[in-house]
């Protein structure tokens, strides 16, 4: 967007470097600076080393190599004057006020007038940071608190000061939203802002309570998990990921900043076992282990968990308890269970929710902002206030009173009501004034969840639903478990295509699940194969091909809008759309080879077309099949939308949306822009290498098997794939029609399904998440 063309990041540590990488992911030039190491021959060693390290990191901070080329490196002695080139300067140095303020004075002397300066601090109040600095600097200064890792965490907390220019805050908000893909939550200038203020209390309370009540770490993580909609890492797994050595610094900062009456102090008691772990290098995943560790003695990998009482490790056990079994996914039932496990869940989450209620109005203007911070910053499915609605505000208030504890004002206001309600199809939130107020969205945001509140689906069955999203556009939504593709999805998609042709302008395929689609429903395929219902499998494969061909050839535009994983059949849906508007964090690939199959719904055929049309390859019938064989035989998955373009799972002209909340609106706009003058794609013919190409691809697989990189079964599967991509026994001087190639793809898919080894691989994938290696 206009206004910010170049960004400078000062501090090439873990956060600073990763912030620079993500700014580059947006296509923006970045200058990354750090100090000159004492006695270093390379004065830019810290910044250059950080970039080099990120290029090897997994998960990758960069979305692609092109982004890495947008980062320039330098140092604060030789390149300080270059800050005048930057429109936004981000400080990400050590959390020491004296160091930061000394740096700010240098920045102020070097920057251009009107450039914006922000700090990534998570602990020091903004008012303290600008204390004693010129008013002109304070006007251009704010806090932009990114969460780690910046590429993947969608939350950015924005804090402004009394002197901060309103237009500076607006400019950064717009850039962070549209270009960096962040949900910007406005936090008040209080210690640790929103997410970490509540999140750190929650973590401290959970650890302390587990140690004092004798709850094993595995059990604690399970209890503070599924029932409350919290990621399975729970508490101890999350601390291992963050780093145990970081927590004492964070808690010390919070303890120094918060008044003594704050409930945080009661939960901030040091545990000798944790202090001992840190001293011995057990700092989490980055160290020798943490609350969990991987024991690799005797050549095996055994996950172990620490005993908080003894400090000794033992094999981690799968937690099972009567409380969890009886409560299921009900947080209230778990908290009410009369057992040690129920009392632990009630004490930790009850205290956390009470603390959250007490923060209403102090750390943010609305309860929705607090919920957003915990959902996006800590991965909670529901924020604390939405979670209290599930549990019941009255029940929580009565529980607090029974314990002799004060009921926070916002919880008192929610008695007999709820924190959220839907009025006339609009979501509203409870305010501290006792009234309900709309939950607003930024301009241009269109969410399927908002549409669902105020409308009924146009069409629906057990695996999919169709919604009218306005202006003559329908949205097709997968609703099956993990959005897996099945016959019901195919049937409703075929029905939807007829409806759009008759009454609408365009179709968007989108959902707000964690993943767009993990592929075909392997459980159904396994069941059918086990009872030898081969005709059902053959029907489904044929139905999929027919439906996708009808969709691609429909007389109106179809736009796919994926986010998360789009694998196997989910990828094939996108391959047959007229255009794709993908979220930047889309992981796309044809992975069927991993379970002993090949793409059967036209994936092979479409990828051949793309590499023949868009691939920068030598001319002739062999280069495109060879490239597609390389991608598909290794089950390659693009780790970003940028990579998906490189692999041609996305076309060069397909769009990328950085902010997931804007994906549906962008896809709808893309579809409408294609309506006027729309013409379906032409029928395709293929010139393929035939038997000679088949032999070449088979020889490549044989070589991999000799090197130990492929199994005997891999050779069989890759042989079937090679037969499709080469065109089988077709003469290389002839062309193969698309119908013939699709039939070949379908036949070879079905041949593999019937092999006994394939069933074992599918079953292994369903049970363990990994295919057999045989």
């Amino acid at each position: 967007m206009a206004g910010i063309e170049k960004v400078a990041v000062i501090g090439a540590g873990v956060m600073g470097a990763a912030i620079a990488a993500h700014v580059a992911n947006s296509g923006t030039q970045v200058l990354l600076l750090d100090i000159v190491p004492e006695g270093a021959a390379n004065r830019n060693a810290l910044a250059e080393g950080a970039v080099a390290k990120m290029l090897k990191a997994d998960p990758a901070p960069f979305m692609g190599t092109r982004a890495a080329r947008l980062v320039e490196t330098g140092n604060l002695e030789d390149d300080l004057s270059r800050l005048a080139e930057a429109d936004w300067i981000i400080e990400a140095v050590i959390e020491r006020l004296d160091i930061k303020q000394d740096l700010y004075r240098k920045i102020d002397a070097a920057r251009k007038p009107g450039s914006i300066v922000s700090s990534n601090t998570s602990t020091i109040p903004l008012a303290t940071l600008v204390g004693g600095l010129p008013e002109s600097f304070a006007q251009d200064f704010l806090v932009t608190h990114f969460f780690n890792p910046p590429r993947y965490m969608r939350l950015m907390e924005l804090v402004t000061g009394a002197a901060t220019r309103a237009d500076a805050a607006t400019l950064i908000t717009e850039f962070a939203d549209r270009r960096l893909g962040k949900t910007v939550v406005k936090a008040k200038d209080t210690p640790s802002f929103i997410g970490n203020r509540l999140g750190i209390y929650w973590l401290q309370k959970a650890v302390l309570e587990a140690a004092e009540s004798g709850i094993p770490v595995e059990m604690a993580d399970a209890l503070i998990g599924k029932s409350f909609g919290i990621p399975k890492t729970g508490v101890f797994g999350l601390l291992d990921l963050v780093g145990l050595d970081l927590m004492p610094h964070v808690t010390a900062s919070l303890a120094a900043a918060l008044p003594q009456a704050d409930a945080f102090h009661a939960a901030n008691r040091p545990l000798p076992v944790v202090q001992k772990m840190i001293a011995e290098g057990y700092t989490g995943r980055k160290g020798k282990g943490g609350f969990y560790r991987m024991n690799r003695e005797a050549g095996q990998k055994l996950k172990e968990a620490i005993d908080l009482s003894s400090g000794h490790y033992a094999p981690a056990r799968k937690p099972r308890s009567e409380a969890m079994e009886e409560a299921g996914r009900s947080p209230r039932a778990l908290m009410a269970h009369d057992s040690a496990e129920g009392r632990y869940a009630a004490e930790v989450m009850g205290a956390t929710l009470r603390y959250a209620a007490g923060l209403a109005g102090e750390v943010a203007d609305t309860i929705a902002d607090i919920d957003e911070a915990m959902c996006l910053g800590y991965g909670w499915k529901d924020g604390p206030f939405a979670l209290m609605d599930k549990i019941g505000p009255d029940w929580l208030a009565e529980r607090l009173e029974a314990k002799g504890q004060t009921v926070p004002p916002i919880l008192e206001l929610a008695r007999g009501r709820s924190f959220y309600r839907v009025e006339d199809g609009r979501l509203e939130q409870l305010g501290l004034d006792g009234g309900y107020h709309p939950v607003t969205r930024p301009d241009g945001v269109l969410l399927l969840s908002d549409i669902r509140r105020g409308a009924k689906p146009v069409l629906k069955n057990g695996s999919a639903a169709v919604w009218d999203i306005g202006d003559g556009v329908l949205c097709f939504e997968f609703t099956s478990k993990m959005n897996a593709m099945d016959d019901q999805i195919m049937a409703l998609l075929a029905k939807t295509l007829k409806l759009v042709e008759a009454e609408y302008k365009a179709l968007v395929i989108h959902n707000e699940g964690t993943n767009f689609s993990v592929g075909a429903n392997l459980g159904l395929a396994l069941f059918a194969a086990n009872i030898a219902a081969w005709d059902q499998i053959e029907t489904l494969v044929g139905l999929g091909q027919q439906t996708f061909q009808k969709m691609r050839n429909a007389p109106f535009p179809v736009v796919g809008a994926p986010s998360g994983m789009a694998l196997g059949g989910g990828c094939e849906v996108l391959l047959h759309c007229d255009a794709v508007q993908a979220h930047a964090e889309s992981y796309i690939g044809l992975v069927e080879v991993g379970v002993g199959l090949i793409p059967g719904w036209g994936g092979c055929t479409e990828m051949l077309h793309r590499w023949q049309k868009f691939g920068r390859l030598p001319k002739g019938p062999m280069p495109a099949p060879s490239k597609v064989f390389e991608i598909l035989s290794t089950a390659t998955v693009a780790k970003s939308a940028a990579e998906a373009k490189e692999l041609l799972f996305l076309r060069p002209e397909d769009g990328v949306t950085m902010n997931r909340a804007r994906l549906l609106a962008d896809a709808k706009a893309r579809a409408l822009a294609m309506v006027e003058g729309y013409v379906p794609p032409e029928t395709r013919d293929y010139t393929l290498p035939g038997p000679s190409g088949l032999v070449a691809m088979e020889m490549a697989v044989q070589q991999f098997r000799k090197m130990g990189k492929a199994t005997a079964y891999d050779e069989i599967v890759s042989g079937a794939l090679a037969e499709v991509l080469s065109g089988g026994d077709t003469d290389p001087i002839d062309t193969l029609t698309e119908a013939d190639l699709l039939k070949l793809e379908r036949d070879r898919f079905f041949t593999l399904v019937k092999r006994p080894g394939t069933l074992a691989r599918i079953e292994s994938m369903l049970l363990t998440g990994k295919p057999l290696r045989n």
Side-chain angles (χ1 to χ4, degrees), residues 709-756:
K709 296 182 179 180
T711 67
Y713 199 87
D714 291 334
E715 195 170 354
I716 293 170
V717 177
S718 296
L721 178 63
E723 193 169 355
V724 174
L725 298 178
S726 65
D729 58 3
T730 185
D731 191 311
I733 64 171
D734 291 334
T735 58
L736 205 63
T737 67
E738 187 166 43
D740 288 338
L741 189 54
L742 285 169
K743 183 178 184 303
L744 182 60
E745 182 176 333
R746 184 171 66 248
D747 289 347
R748 293 302 170 265
F749 174 93
F750 194 63
T751 299
L752 289 171
V753 168
K754 283 190 170 182
R755 293 191 65 89

Short mmCIF file of all heavy atoms in Angstrom, two decimals, residues 709-756:
data_model
loop_
_atom_site.label_atom_id
_atom_site.label_comp_id
_atom_site.label_asym_id
_atom_site.label_seq_id
_atom_site.Cartn_x
_atom_site.Cartn_y
_atom_site.Cartn_z
N LYS A 709 16.46 -44.82 -1.15
CA LYS A 709 15.52 -43.71 -0.99
C LYS A 709 14.11 -44.07 -1.45
O LYS A 709 13.22 -43.23 -1.41
CB LYS A 709 16.02 -42.49 -1.76
CG LYS A 709 17.34 -41.94 -1.24
CD LYS A 709 17.77 -40.71 -2.02
CE LYS A 709 19.06 -40.14 -1.47
NZ LYS A 709 19.51 -38.93 -2.21
N ALA A 710 13.91 -45.29 -1.91
CA ALA A 710 12.60 -45.75 -2.33
C ALA A 710 12.47 -47.23 -2.02
O ALA A 710 13.47 -47.96 -1.99
CB ALA A 710 12.39 -45.50 -3.83
N THR A 711 11.25 -47.67 -1.75
CA THR A 711 11.00 -49.08 -1.44
C THR A 711 10.49 -49.79 -2.69
O THR A 711 10.19 -49.17 -3.72
CB THR A 711 9.96 -49.19 -0.33
OG1 THR A 711 8.70 -48.71 -0.83
CG2 THR A 711 10.35 -48.38 0.89
N ALA A 712 10.34 -51.11 -2.56
CA ALA A 712 9.81 -51.89 -3.67
C ALA A 712 8.39 -51.44 -4.01
O ALA A 712 8.01 -51.37 -5.19
CB ALA A 712 9.82 -53.37 -3.30
N TYR A 713 7.61 -51.10 -2.97
CA TYR A 713 6.24 -50.66 -3.23
C TYR A 713 6.23 -49.27 -3.87
O TYR A 713 5.40 -48.98 -4.73
CB TYR A 713 5.42 -50.66 -1.94
CG TYR A 713 3.94 -50.66 -2.22
CD1 TYR A 713 3.26 -51.87 -2.41
CD2 TYR A 713 3.22 -49.49 -2.35
CE1 TYR A 713 1.90 -51.89 -2.70
CE2 TYR A 713 1.87 -49.49 -2.64
CZ TYR A 713 1.21 -50.70 -2.82
OH TYR A 713 -0.12 -50.73 -3.12
N ASP A 714 7.17 -48.42 -3.46
CA ASP A 714 7.29 -47.11 -4.11
C ASP A 714 7.51 -47.27 -5.61
O ASP A 714 6.99 -46.50 -6.42
CB ASP A 714 8.46 -46.31 -3.51
CG ASP A 714 8.20 -45.88 -2.08
OD1 ASP A 714 7.02 -45.74 -1.72
OD2 ASP A 714 9.17 -45.68 -1.34
N GLU A 715 8.28 -48.29 -5.96
CA GLU A 715 8.60 -48.52 -7.37
C GLU A 715 7.33 -48.89 -8.15
O GLU A 715 7.14 -48.45 -9.29
CB GLU A 715 9.64 -49.64 -7.48
CG GLU A 715 10.30 -49.72 -8.83
CD GLU A 715 11.49 -50.68 -8.83
OE1 GLU A 715 11.85 -51.18 -7.74
OE2 GLU A 715 12.04 -50.91 -9.92
N ILE A 716 6.46 -49.67 -7.52
CA ILE A 716 5.21 -50.06 -8.17
C ILE A 716 4.31 -48.84 -8.39
O ILE A 716 3.77 -48.63 -9.48
CB ILE A 716 4.48 -51.12 -7.31
CG1 ILE A 716 5.28 -52.42 -7.29
CG2 ILE A 716 3.07 -51.35 -7.84
CD1 ILE A 716 4.78 -53.42 -6.28
N VAL A 717 4.16 -48.04 -7.33
CA VAL A 717 3.29 -46.86 -7.41
C VAL A 717 3.83 -45.86 -8.42
O VAL A 717 3.09 -45.32 -9.25
CB VAL A 717 3.14 -46.20 -6.02
CG1 VAL A 717 2.29 -44.94 -6.12
CG2 VAL A 717 2.54 -47.18 -5.03
N SER A 718 5.15 -45.62 -8.34
CA SER A 718 5.75 -44.66 -9.28
C SER A 718 5.65 -45.15 -10.71
O SER A 718 5.55 -44.35 -11.65
CB SER A 718 7.22 -44.42 -8.90
OG SER A 718 7.31 -43.81 -7.63
N GLY A 719 5.67 -46.48 -10.88
CA GLY A 719 5.51 -47.03 -12.23
C GLY A 719 4.15 -46.71 -12.81
O GLY A 719 4.03 -46.37 -13.99
N ALA A 720 3.11 -46.80 -11.97
CA ALA A 720 1.76 -46.46 -12.42
C ALA A 720 1.66 -44.98 -12.75
O ALA A 720 1.04 -44.58 -13.74
CB ALA A 720 0.75 -46.84 -11.35
N LEU A 721 2.31 -44.15 -11.92
CA LEU A 721 2.31 -42.71 -12.17
C LEU A 721 3.05 -42.40 -13.47
O LEU A 721 2.57 -41.59 -14.29
CB LEU A 721 2.99 -41.99 -11.00
CG LEU A 721 3.13 -40.47 -11.13
CD1 LEU A 721 1.76 -39.80 -11.19
CD2 LEU A 721 3.95 -39.92 -9.96
N ALA A 722 4.18 -43.05 -13.67
CA ALA A 722 4.96 -42.82 -14.89
C ALA A 722 4.17 -43.22 -16.13
O ALA A 722 4.26 -42.56 -17.19
CB ALA A 722 6.27 -43.61 -14.82
N GLU A 723 3.38 -44.27 -16.00
CA GLU A 723 2.58 -44.72 -17.15
C GLU A 723 1.56 -43.65 -17.55
O GLU A 723 1.35 -43.38 -18.73
CB GLU A 723 1.88 -46.04 -16.82
CG GLU A 723 1.30 -46.73 -18.03
CD GLU A 723 0.83 -48.15 -17.74
OE1 GLU A 723 1.04 -48.62 -16.61
OE2 GLU A 723 0.23 -48.76 -18.64
N VAL A 724 0.94 -43.02 -16.55
CA VAL A 724 -0.02 -41.96 -16.85
C VAL A 724 0.67 -40.76 -17.46
O VAL A 724 0.23 -40.22 -18.50
CB VAL A 724 -0.78 -41.54 -15.57
CG1 VAL A 724 -1.67 -40.33 -15.85
CG2 VAL A 724 -1.60 -42.70 -15.03
N LEU A 725 1.75 -40.31 -16.87
CA LEU A 725 2.40 -39.08 -17.30
C LEU A 725 3.10 -39.22 -18.65
O LEU A 725 3.29 -38.22 -19.36
CB LEU A 725 3.40 -38.62 -16.24
CG LEU A 725 2.79 -38.27 -14.87
CD1 LEU A 725 3.88 -37.88 -13.88
CD2 LEU A 725 1.76 -37.15 -15.00
N SER A 726 3.48 -40.44 -18.99
CA SER A 726 4.11 -40.66 -20.30
C SER A 726 3.09 -40.90 -21.40
O SER A 726 3.40 -40.85 -22.58
CB SER A 726 5.06 -41.86 -20.23
OG SER A 726 4.33 -43.06 -19.99
N GLY A 727 1.82 -41.17 -20.98
CA GLY A 727 0.79 -41.48 -21.96
C GLY A 727 0.69 -42.95 -22.26
O GLY A 727 0.00 -43.35 -23.21
N GLY A 728 1.37 -43.77 -21.46
CA GLY A 728 1.31 -45.22 -21.66
C GLY A 728 1.98 -45.64 -22.95
O GLY A 728 3.10 -45.24 -23.25
N ASP A 729 1.27 -46.42 -23.74
CA ASP A 729 1.86 -46.94 -24.99
C ASP A 729 1.54 -46.07 -26.19
O ASP A 729 1.65 -46.49 -27.33
CB ASP A 729 1.38 -48.37 -25.24
CG ASP A 729 -0.14 -48.47 -25.33
OD1 ASP A 729 -0.82 -47.41 -25.26
OD2 ASP A 729 -0.65 -49.60 -25.44
N THR A 730 1.15 -44.81 -25.92
CA THR A 730 0.86 -43.90 -27.04
C THR A 730 2.12 -43.60 -27.84
O THR A 730 3.23 -43.58 -27.30
CB THR A 730 0.26 -42.58 -26.51
OG1 THR A 730 -0.11 -41.77 -27.62
CG2 THR A 730 1.27 -41.81 -25.68
N ASP A 731 1.95 -43.39 -29.11
CA ASP A 731 3.08 -43.02 -29.96
C ASP A 731 3.43 -41.56 -29.67
O ASP A 731 2.55 -40.70 -29.68
CB ASP A 731 2.69 -43.17 -31.45
CG ASP A 731 3.90 -43.06 -32.36
OD1 ASP A 731 4.68 -42.10 -32.18
OD2 ASP A 731 4.05 -43.92 -33.25
N PRO A 732 4.72 -41.27 -29.38
CA PRO A 732 5.09 -39.89 -29.02
C PRO A 732 4.82 -38.85 -30.10
O PRO A 732 4.82 -37.67 -29.81
CB PRO A 732 6.59 -40.00 -28.70
CG PRO A 732 7.03 -41.26 -29.36
CD PRO A 732 5.86 -42.18 -29.31
N ILE A 733 4.60 -39.28 -31.32
CA ILE A 733 4.32 -38.28 -32.36
C ILE A 733 2.83 -37.97 -32.43
O ILE A 733 2.41 -37.05 -33.12
CB ILE A 733 4.83 -38.74 -33.75
CG1 ILE A 733 4.07 -39.98 -34.21
CG2 ILE A 733 6.33 -38.98 -33.73
CD1 ILE A 733 4.37 -40.36 -35.66
N ASP A 734 2.00 -38.77 -31.70
CA ASP A 734 0.57 -38.54 -31.71
C ASP A 734 0.16 -37.69 -30.50
O ASP A 734 0.92 -37.52 -29.55
CB ASP A 734 -0.19 -39.87 -31.63
CG ASP A 734 -0.03 -40.68 -32.92
OD1 ASP A 734 0.20 -40.05 -33.95
OD2 ASP A 734 -0.14 -41.92 -32.84
N THR A 735 -1.05 -37.18 -30.56
CA THR A 735 -1.59 -36.45 -29.41
C THR A 735 -2.61 -37.32 -28.70
O THR A 735 -3.27 -38.17 -29.32
CB THR A 735 -2.25 -35.13 -29.84
OG1 THR A 735 -3.28 -35.42 -30.77
CG2 THR A 735 -1.24 -34.18 -30.44
N LEU A 736 -2.72 -37.10 -27.40
CA LEU A 736 -3.66 -37.84 -26.57
C LEU A 736 -4.75 -36.86 -26.15
O LEU A 736 -4.45 -35.77 -25.68
CB LEU A 736 -2.94 -38.39 -25.34
CG LEU A 736 -3.53 -39.63 -24.66
CD1 LEU A 736 -3.49 -40.81 -25.62
CD2 LEU A 736 -2.72 -39.96 -23.40
N THR A 737 -6.01 -37.24 -26.34
CA THR A 737 -7.08 -36.34 -25.92
C THR A 737 -7.16 -36.32 -24.39
O THR A 737 -6.69 -37.25 -23.72
CB THR A 737 -8.44 -36.79 -26.47
OG1 THR A 737 -8.82 -38.04 -25.85
CG2 THR A 737 -8.40 -36.94 -27.98
N GLU A 738 -7.76 -35.26 -23.89
CA GLU A 738 -7.89 -35.15 -22.44
C GLU A 738 -8.74 -36.30 -21.89
O GLU A 738 -8.44 -36.85 -20.82
CB GLU A 738 -8.53 -33.81 -22.08
CG GLU A 738 -8.54 -33.53 -20.59
CD GLU A 738 -8.86 -32.08 -20.28
OE1 GLU A 738 -9.77 -31.53 -20.92
OE2 GLU A 738 -8.20 -31.51 -19.40
N ALA A 739 -9.77 -36.70 -22.62
CA ALA A 739 -10.62 -37.80 -22.16
C ALA A 739 -9.83 -39.10 -22.05
O ALA A 739 -9.98 -39.87 -21.09
CB ALA A 739 -11.80 -37.97 -23.11
N ASP A 740 -8.93 -39.34 -23.04
CA ASP A 740 -8.12 -40.55 -23.00
C ASP A 740 -7.15 -40.53 -21.82
O ASP A 740 -6.93 -41.55 -21.16
CB ASP A 740 -7.33 -40.69 -24.31
CG ASP A 740 -8.22 -41.07 -25.49
OD1 ASP A 740 -9.31 -41.62 -25.24
OD2 ASP A 740 -7.83 -40.79 -26.64
N LEU A 741 -6.56 -39.37 -21.57
CA LEU A 741 -5.60 -39.25 -20.47
C LEU A 741 -6.29 -39.41 -19.12
O LEU A 741 -5.76 -40.05 -18.20
CB LEU A 741 -4.86 -37.91 -20.55
CG LEU A 741 -3.67 -37.73 -19.60
CD1 LEU A 741 -2.66 -38.85 -19.74
CD2 LEU A 741 -3.00 -36.39 -19.85
N LEU A 742 -7.48 -38.84 -18.99
CA LEU A 742 -8.23 -39.00 -17.75
C LEU A 742 -8.61 -40.46 -17.51
O LEU A 742 -8.58 -40.94 -16.38
CB LEU A 742 -9.49 -38.14 -17.79
CG LEU A 742 -9.28 -36.63 -17.59
CD1 LEU A 742 -10.55 -35.86 -17.92
CD2 LEU A 742 -8.86 -36.33 -16.14
N LYS A 743 -8.97 -41.16 -18.58
CA LYS A 743 -9.30 -42.59 -18.44
C LYS A 743 -8.08 -43.38 -17.99
O LYS A 743 -8.18 -44.26 -17.12
CB LYS A 743 -9.81 -43.14 -19.78
CG LYS A 743 -10.24 -44.61 -19.70
CD LYS A 743 -10.78 -45.10 -21.03
CE LYS A 743 -11.29 -46.53 -20.91
NZ LYS A 743 -10.26 -47.48 -20.42
N LEU A 744 -6.92 -43.06 -18.56
CA LEU A 744 -5.69 -43.74 -18.16
C LEU A 744 -5.40 -43.46 -16.68
O LEU A 744 -5.02 -44.38 -15.93
CB LEU A 744 -4.53 -43.26 -19.04
CG LEU A 744 -3.16 -43.90 -18.77
CD1 LEU A 744 -3.21 -45.41 -18.98
CD2 LEU A 744 -2.11 -43.27 -19.70
N GLU A 745 -5.58 -42.20 -16.26
CA GLU A 745 -5.36 -41.83 -14.85
C GLU A 745 -6.31 -42.61 -13.95
O GLU A 745 -5.90 -43.15 -12.91
CB GLU A 745 -5.57 -40.33 -14.69
CG GLU A 745 -5.32 -39.80 -13.29
CD GLU A 745 -5.45 -38.28 -13.21
OE1 GLU A 745 -5.21 -37.59 -14.23
OE2 GLU A 745 -5.79 -37.79 -12.12
N ARG A 746 -7.57 -42.70 -14.35
CA ARG A 746 -8.57 -43.40 -13.56
C ARG A 746 -8.27 -44.90 -13.49
O ARG A 746 -8.34 -45.51 -12.41
CB ARG A 746 -9.95 -43.15 -14.16
CG ARG A 746 -11.11 -43.73 -13.38
CD ARG A 746 -12.44 -43.26 -13.94
NE ARG A 746 -12.70 -43.75 -15.29
CZ ARG A 746 -12.74 -42.97 -16.37
NH1 ARG A 746 -12.50 -41.68 -16.27
NH2 ARG A 746 -13.00 -43.48 -17.56
N ASP A 747 -7.89 -45.49 -14.60
CA ASP A 747 -7.62 -46.93 -14.63
C ASP A 747 -6.43 -47.29 -13.76
O ASP A 747 -6.47 -48.29 -13.03
CB ASP A 747 -7.37 -47.38 -16.07
CG ASP A 747 -8.63 -47.35 -16.93
OD1 ASP A 747 -9.73 -47.22 -16.35
OD2 ASP A 747 -8.50 -47.43 -18.17
N ARG A 748 -5.36 -46.50 -13.83
CA ARG A 748 -4.16 -46.83 -13.04
C ARG A 748 -4.40 -46.59 -11.55
O ARG A 748 -3.88 -47.31 -10.71
CB ARG A 748 -2.96 -46.00 -13.52
CG ARG A 748 -2.53 -46.36 -14.93
CD ARG A 748 -2.16 -47.86 -15.06
NE ARG A 748 -1.98 -48.26 -16.45
CZ ARG A 748 -2.93 -48.81 -17.20
NH1 ARG A 748 -4.15 -49.01 -16.70
NH2 ARG A 748 -2.68 -49.15 -18.45
N PHE A 749 -5.22 -45.60 -11.23
CA PHE A 749 -5.61 -45.38 -9.84
C PHE A 749 -6.33 -46.62 -9.32
O PHE A 749 -6.02 -47.12 -8.23
CB PHE A 749 -6.52 -44.15 -9.74
CG PHE A 749 -7.08 -43.92 -8.36
CD1 PHE A 749 -6.44 -43.09 -7.47
CD2 PHE A 749 -8.27 -44.52 -7.96
CE1 PHE A 749 -6.95 -42.87 -6.20
CE2 PHE A 749 -8.79 -44.31 -6.70
CZ PHE A 749 -8.14 -43.49 -5.82
N PHE A 750 -7.27 -47.12 -10.09
CA PHE A 750 -8.08 -48.25 -9.64
C PHE A 750 -7.24 -49.52 -9.53
O PHE A 750 -7.44 -50.34 -8.63
CB PHE A 750 -9.25 -48.45 -10.60
CG PHE A 750 -10.31 -49.35 -10.04
CD1 PHE A 750 -11.01 -49.00 -8.90
CD2 PHE A 750 -10.62 -50.55 -10.65
CE1 PHE A 750 -11.99 -49.83 -8.38
CE2 PHE A 750 -11.59 -51.39 -10.14
CZ PHE A 750 -12.28 -51.02 -9.00
N THR A 751 -6.27 -49.67 -10.42
CA THR A 751 -5.37 -50.83 -10.35
C THR A 751 -4.61 -50.84 -9.03
O THR A 751 -4.46 -51.88 -8.38
CB THR A 751 -4.36 -50.80 -11.52
OG1 THR A 751 -5.09 -50.86 -12.75
CG2 THR A 751 -3.40 -51.97 -11.44
N LEU A 752 -4.15 -49.66 -8.60
CA LEU A 752 -3.41 -49.57 -7.35
C LEU A 752 -4.29 -49.82 -6.14
O LEU A 752 -3.87 -50.42 -5.16
CB LEU A 752 -2.74 -48.20 -7.24
CG LEU A 752 -1.55 -47.95 -8.17
CD1 LEU A 752 -1.13 -46.50 -8.12
CD2 LEU A 752 -0.37 -48.85 -7.80
N VAL A 753 -5.54 -49.34 -6.19
CA VAL A 753 -6.45 -49.54 -5.06
C VAL A 753 -6.61 -51.03 -4.77
O VAL A 753 -6.71 -51.44 -3.61
CB VAL A 753 -7.82 -48.90 -5.36
CG1 VAL A 753 -8.87 -49.34 -4.34
CG2 VAL A 753 -7.71 -47.39 -5.33
N LYS A 754 -6.63 -51.84 -5.81
CA LYS A 754 -6.87 -53.27 -5.65
C LYS A 754 -5.67 -54.04 -5.10
O LYS A 754 -5.82 -55.19 -4.69
CB LYS A 754 -7.29 -53.89 -6.99
CG LYS A 754 -8.73 -53.60 -7.38
CD LYS A 754 -9.15 -54.43 -8.57
CE LYS A 754 -10.64 -54.33 -8.82
NZ LYS A 754 -11.09 -55.17 -9.94
N ARG A 755 -4.51 -53.42 -5.09
CA ARG A 755 -3.33 -54.11 -4.58
C ARG A 755 -3.44 -54.24 -3.06
O ARG A 755 -3.71 -53.27 -2.36
CB ARG A 755 -2.05 -53.37 -4.93
CG ARG A 755 -1.73 -53.34 -6.43
CD ARG A 755 -0.33 -52.82 -6.65
NE ARG A 755 0.66 -53.71 -6.11
CZ ARG A 755 1.21 -54.73 -6.77
NH1 ARG A 755 0.85 -54.98 -8.02
NH2 ARG A 755 2.09 -55.50 -6.19
N PRO A 756 -3.22 -55.44 -2.49
CA PRO A 756 -3.33 -55.63 -1.03
C PRO A 756 -2.44 -54.69 -0.24
O PRO A 756 -2.82 -54.21 0.83
CB PRO A 756 -2.92 -57.09 -0.84
CG PRO A 756 -3.20 -57.74 -2.16
CD PRO A 756 -2.93 -56.70 -3.20
#
